[in-house]
Amino acid sequence: MPTVSVKRDLLFQALGRNYTDEEFDELCFEFGLELDEITSEKEIISKEQGNEKAEGASDVVLYKIDVPANRYDLLCLEGLVRGLKVFKERIKPPVYKRVMPNGEIQKLIITEETAKIRPFAVAAVLRNIKFTKDRYDSFIELQEKLHQNICRKRALVAIGTHDLDTLSGPFTYTAKRPSDIKFKPLNKTKEYTACELMNIYKTDNHLKHYLHIIENKPLYPVIYDSNGVILSMPPIINGNHSKITVNTKNVFIECTGTDFTKAKIVLDVIVTMFSEYCENQFTVEAAEVVFPNGKSYTFPELAYRKEIVRADLINKKVGIRETPENIAKLLTRMYLKSEVIGDGNQIEIEIPPTRADVIHACDIVEDAAIAYGYNNIQMMLPKTYTIANQFPLNKLTELLRHDMAAAGFTEALTFALCSQEDIADKLGLDISATKAVHISNPKTAEFQVARTTLLPGLLKTIAANRKMPLPLKLFEISDIVVKDSSRDVGARNYRHLCAVYYNKNPGFEIIHGLLDRIMQLLNVPPGEKKGGYVIKASEGPAFFPGRCAEIFARGQSIGKLGVLHPDVITKFELTMPCSSLEINIEPFL
Amino acid sequence: QLEAADGGLDSAELAAKLGVDHQVVVGAVKSLQALGEVIEAELRSTKRWELTAEGEEIAQEGSHEARVFHSIPQEGLAQSELMRLPSGKVGFSKAMSNKWIRVDKSAADGPRVFRVVDTVDDEVQRRLQLVQGGQAEKLGEKERSELKKRKLLTEVTLKTYWVSKGNAFSTSISKQETELSPEMISSGSWRDRPFKPYNFLAHGVLPDGGHLHPLLKVRTQFRQIFLEMGFTEMPTDNFIESSFWNFDALFQPQQHPARDQHDTFFLRDPAEALQLPMDYVHRVKRTHSHGGYGSQGYKYTWKLEEARKNLLRTHTTSASARALYRLAQKKPFAPAKYFSIDRVFRNETLDATHLAEFHQIEGVVADHGLTLGHLMGVLREFFTKLGITQLRFKPAYNPYTEPSMEVFSYHQGLKKWVEVGNSGLFRPEMLLPMGLPENVSVIAWGLSLERPTMIKYGINNIRELVGHKVNLQMVYDSPLCRLDAEPGPPRTQGAA
């Protein structure tokens, strides 16, 4: 969930009233926001870098507010204030207009070289905007929030904003060899080639995260003006030439990306939020984008979409009984201008360009419910009668667990993920013999594979509890995972039961006795006839030679028991003899 | 052993009289006491001075200084030779400070010691003899403490009993029985025998049985609650899932951050799902990329290879999606209530409350005409069974539910509202491609099993609860899990 940090006093000033922290927290809760933290720049720096560094930092109170991940329109102070004011019916939702310029329209021409790397671009102009320090900071911060969220760390969309008065259109969006791109990037004093820049930014804590997006491509995306001035090399860095400042009057905004829909949304969000400060409030000057196929589009779209939803559907989904008029009012408070039409049960809802999150009637239903107040909804219970059933495998597991504890064994709960070493090397096996599934992106060796046996987990549990009095008797009934091409995903779980006995003597007879008891509980008689069980001398690298037996029940092999090999004991950092038992319990369902 | 004296008698005096060690008498007194009211014994303590072993020696043979004095002949003695005497070192310096002897350092063969006086009065010996004779009180406080400093005297506290006849005084006593025996029962002798009383302050012997794991005890209770509420358990025994069932089927777009390598464990082998229900896959693809079922869709290029990618399921909602898909294939539609509690996996940064795997609890109800009010009603019943009655609901965003609500409960200890679960109505874009009827709504909620368990058992570090680093003593000692009963005081055992 994105967190937006706003100055409290600025927020209250814009909202037109003061709140106590509790009142504002309450308002957030109602609206679906969360007042996460009340802090200041000074406090943040002091927490992260110590009191000394915080000396002299601002102690203006900051509210950190958690915003739902799909509400891009609430990612800045301007949007939050507008949303809350409409919610509290203090203002009517503004109408955003795209206007044609008096003179020539700004043009951005996309060349076909971009097709393989970053094919889409959209653009717009904010004309006669009046920044202040706070507004300017908010403008930069919104771009950063959008980059981190909807833009997926600039992979899907990257934003460039420029002082239009320093440039001259038409603009060209193309892709060139890195060595052919040379410019003075933002906040640098000299020119570098793209290759040099990629090297420089490897150590830049902010920019290094975006390099991978284009790093290994033969051509890098780049935008020029008609004089060959580089506006930006998306998605990495803008040029210093067209850098915007607090004094910038006219802003040219370009968004390039691999996801056309998201690029359009991002552009809409930026211009709807900041056209508030334009001379003609909430109007945005159009820009034309010409695609390689010659087709030309005008942006921003600022599309208003109409949806018609029946009032009774909203009532039925929420569980309320409101008149269509009331529901229209509720929706209007959520920035969705609505009115009752037709037979008096239909509500026509206008979805503004700021509400890209509304893609289905269910989104409208939710907004009606939020405006009504979740906590005002009458609770009720579904009337349908249903009979409950347990999943048979879990039912058997539950029954066995209790009797294992009654037999004197204590239950362990170990991880399903582990290292290759745990399930192979330490048990004297080759990893290829385990049929284990392998994880492609583990952060540490602890998460290389899913376990194929419960034994390593139990042995590690003993190793972590060597201070406990002996004997240690542990068991676990849980799932292991192996590859299985007969399953849709190519792997399956098996429910295993594993038990270990750890003492000064191996205690094979105790583990053997436990097996006898388990078979008794499962009503499996001893002997090979009539689906009974037997154990037969066997071998296994994990077991001491001559001290291992395979367990057969109901005509199939279900596992092994025996005294563990001293090498296994040592590899798990244990010192005492140990016997173990591990079976698959699924044949007993 | 014990003579009945009229007023009573002192155990130490008795011992002296009987000529036995005092401890023997004390033992006898204690065992008579244990018989009940045969005697009454009052503990008295007296202080007394006694000679130390060295003190005894001096009382007998004289003080070190006196012994040194006597060992020096008229013609004197070489100092080196004197020092070799048993009392040499101590006695020399004391005799010097008493001015009984002198040293002539100019003597021919080294320093020589001579007597200064003819006779000496060995005060130390005399005083010690007084103490030995039981007349310590004749010495002054100062003299006693000087002797004590020289470790010749010690003060001992003597505990004695003042013994007198008890209510049930008898000169013929029988030994107390410790335990009832089969013979006593058959002979009836238990009727006449006195029994030794139990010490009810001592701890009992803990039973030898095994123990269930606390987290799984809580799991059992949650299963019980769902079963009480009529919910059927879904199969969840498939840790490996395809991206399709884990994300795409839930209308979670392919560029969603949760599908990032940083959040999800993907598989290298088997890297891809072998089979997908292709008809359904096409409906899902269309809904994502173009919309439909009343939706605008996400308008992006949906890729099958992305959906085929295998992973360790990030939530049990993938199992709910499979269950709902199966439900949708049954005609006519029959309402259903489902639940599951099982492991899920996240490729997350680990800390005191986050592990790469945890258990998710999930409840699902599919029925005609379910509302948000129904969701809240079911949640109220569910949480009431957990002992949580103060609930409040906050609007929230989940990719696959709309409306969505986070469930908060008022935490008495923290004095604030804390999130206890997440819930919502599944999106039509998820349900309709499965083939569920349009007027069927599905409400669902989820929470983790670990969090309520950590609160319940007062555990701060999740590693002490889950995984091999568990503290087995904590497992041995953990109480029953009674979710609706008042929580006990926080346990501190975990730190051990």
Side-chain angles (χ1 to χ4, degrees), chain A residues 329-482:
Chain A
K329 254 190 222 158
L330 292 174
L331 289 171
T332 304
R333 280 176 54 205
M334 297 306 289
Y335 223 115
L336 301 171
K337 214 173 100 201
S338 304
E339 55 183 344
V340 182
I341 56 155
D343 62 0
N345 193 9
Q346 312 260 38
I347 301 175
E348 189 183 67
I349 301 123
E350 187 181 67
I351 294 127
T354 44
R355 292 298 308 272
D357 61 298
V358 178
I359 57 174
H360 190 278
C362 68
D363 299 302
I364 294 165
V365 169
E366 178 179 79
D367 275 10
I370 293 172
Y372 183 84
Y374 276 7
N375 296 291
N376 300 325
I377 298 168
Q378 184 80 40
M379 296 188 198
M380 49 195 137
L381 285 176
K383 292 199 172 60
T384 309
Y385 187 79
T386 51
I387 304 281
N389 288 305
Q390 301 184 50
F391 182 53
L393 185 57
N394 291 354
K395 189 176 181 178
L396 176 65
T397 302
E398 282 290 296
L399 290 168
L400 274 176
R401 284 175 61 229
H402 285 87
D403 271 300
M404 290 294 288
F409 282 72
T410 290
E411 188 170 33
L413 172 62
T414 66
F415 297 125
L417 305 184
C418 58
S419 65
Q420 291 189 16
E421 205 190 3
D422 283 343
I423 55 164
D425 314 31
K426 285 184 183 176
L427 296 177
L429 281 171
D430 191 84
I431 188 70
S432 59
T434 59
K435 293 206 289 178
V437 302
H438 291 259
I439 293 167
S440 66
N441 56 333
K443 282 182 187 149
T444 69
E446 287 170 272
F447 312 118
Q448 287 173 326
V449 289
R451 64 183 173 199
T452 51
T453 154
L454 299 178
L455 182 62
L458 289 187
L459 295 179
K460 281 154 80 177
T461 307
I462 293 177
N465 283 278
R466 278 176 304 193
K467 62 181 194 303
M468 297 295 292
L470 295 173
L472 283 172
K473 299 196 271 185
L474 298 182
F475 81 95
E476 181 168 15
I477 309 179
S478 189
D479 286 356
I480 62 102
V481 183
V482 287

Side-chain angles (χ1 to χ4, degrees), chain A residues 152 261 316 360 363 366 375 384 386 389-390 394 405 411 414 416 438 440-441 443 483 488-489, chain B residues 210-211 223 233 255 261 264 266 268-269 274 293 299 310 337 343 347 357 367 371 393 402 404 427:
Chain A
R152 299 285 292 116
T261 311
K316 257 171 62 186
H360 190 278
D363 299 302
E366 178 179 79
N375 296 291
T384 309
T386 51
N389 288 305
Q390 301 184 50
N394 291 354
E411 188 170 33
T414 66
H438 291 259
S440 66
N441 56 333
K443 282 182 187 149
K483 285 192 280 185
D488 61 348
V489 294
Chain B
H211 307 268
R223 284 185 89 241
E233 193 171 26
Q255 314 82 3
Q261 297 272 331
T264 300
F266 287 93
R268 193 184 79 215
D269 180 26
L274 307 168
Y293 309 103
K299 297 178 183 152
N310 273 337
K337 294 198 278 205
R343 288 181 201 242
N347 195 4
E357 49 189 280
D367 200 350
T371 67
F393 302 91
E402 190 83 11
S404 309
R427 292 190 73 99

